[in-house]
């Protein structure tokens, strides 16, 4: 069952969570802009934006999400790791990424009542982890659960496939309400507004989603491409809400 038993890096579907982390930790604000010219030269070897050798120019967090700019989020991962003396500590950046990924449910299985592989929050390379690479690996059901928590602004549920269990006479035996496993209180409404705006812009600027707009649905989402291996095609992902 690919939804629960195939593990994948989240790729750029992780960028909304990186944005929430950076905004809540105070390392960026709505007015923070990073300039993308292609390569990211603050670490070596230097990773590149997917648009390289071109660049996206100057972007804030809304534009970073909408354009899925790797350079914006490389800067986020790097700045999460900046210590008080101005040096870069990948371990510090990873600690903050892990904190918020756990808060949004990515540290455990999604609650579905069928066999599901265990997730792993990245434990190395804060710069690349901020774009959903590093050693992140999740099922798509786990990514969907995290995105649900973004959509409802902080309520993390155990997902359930079942509505209720009835006897053959139709009497209620069990009502399978989804249990709340965490209520994220650290993130403010303006942060969710910025992240949702970037995700709405991403959908509205992509002609592949015209059918959604034409159906009258207001939709927010994030595409992602996750590298698997040289012998396995990339995973192409989309996570969002309407």
């Amino acid at each position: 069952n690919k939804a629960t038993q195939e593990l994948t890096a989240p790729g750029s579907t992780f960028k909304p969570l990186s944005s929430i982390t950076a905004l809540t930790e105070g390392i960026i604000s709505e007015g923070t802009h990073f300039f993308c010219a292609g390569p990211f030269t603050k670490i070596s070897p230097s990773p590149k934006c997917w648009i390289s050798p071109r660049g996206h120019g100057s972007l804030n967090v809304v534009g970073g999400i909408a354009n899925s700019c790797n350079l914006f989020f490389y800067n986020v991962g790097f700045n999460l790791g900046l210590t008080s003396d101005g040096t870069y500590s990948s371990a510090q950046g990873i600690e903050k990424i892990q904190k918020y990924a756990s808060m949004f449910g990515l540290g455990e299985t999604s609650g579905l009542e069928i066999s599901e592989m265990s997730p792993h929050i990245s434990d190395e390379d804060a710069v690349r982890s901020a774009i959903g690479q590093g050693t992140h690996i999740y099922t798509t059901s786990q990514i969907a659960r995290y995105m649900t928590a973004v959509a409802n602004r902080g309520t993390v549920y155990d997902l359930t496939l079942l509505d209720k269990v009835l006897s053959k006479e139709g009497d209620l035996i069990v009502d399978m309400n989804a249990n709340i496993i965490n209520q994220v209180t650290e993130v403010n409404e303006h942060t969710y507004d910025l992240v949702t705006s970037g995700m709405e812009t991403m959908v509205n600027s992509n002609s592949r989603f015209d059918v959604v707009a034409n159906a009258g649905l207001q939709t927010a989402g994030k595409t992602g491409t996750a590298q698997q291996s040289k012998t396995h095609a990339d995973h192409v992902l989309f996570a969002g809400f309407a």
Side-chain angles (χ1 to χ4, degrees), residues 123-186:
D123 55 8
E124 63 182 51
D125 194 345
V127 168
R128 291 175 178 83
S129 294
I131 70 161
Q133 293 293 153
T135 58
H136 288 295
I137 194 159
Y138 311 106
T139 65
T140 54
S141 51
Q142 291 152 13
I143 295 171
R145 195 256 293 273
Y146 128 65
M147 191 58 66
T148 300
V150 174
N152 65 43
R153 303 191 168 212
T155 303
V156 185
Y157 290 98
D158 257 349
L159 303 185
T160 176
L161 292 169
L162 305 177
D163 178 29
K164 64 188 73 172
V165 179
L166 304 177
S167 70
K168 64 181 180 180
E169 291 81 18
D171 297 324
L172 179 66
I173 298 174
V174 182
D175 190 358
M176 307 292 288
N177 291 319
N179 295 318
I180 296 174
I181 65 165
N182 190 34
Q183 188 71 57
V184 180
T185 59
E186 294 86 345

Side-chain angles (χ1 to χ4, degrees), residues 3 37 113 194:
E113 298 91 348
L194 292 173

Side-chain angles (χ1 to χ4, degrees), residues 48-59:
K48 297 178 180 180
C49 188
W50 64 267
I51 202 173
S52 183
R54 297 179 293 127
H56 287 110
S58 181
L59 297 172

Side-chain angles (χ1 to χ4, degrees), residues 3-15:
T4 59
Q5 293 178 312
E6 182 174 32
L7 293 166
T8 179
S12 294
T13 63
F14 193 80
K15 289 174 180 175

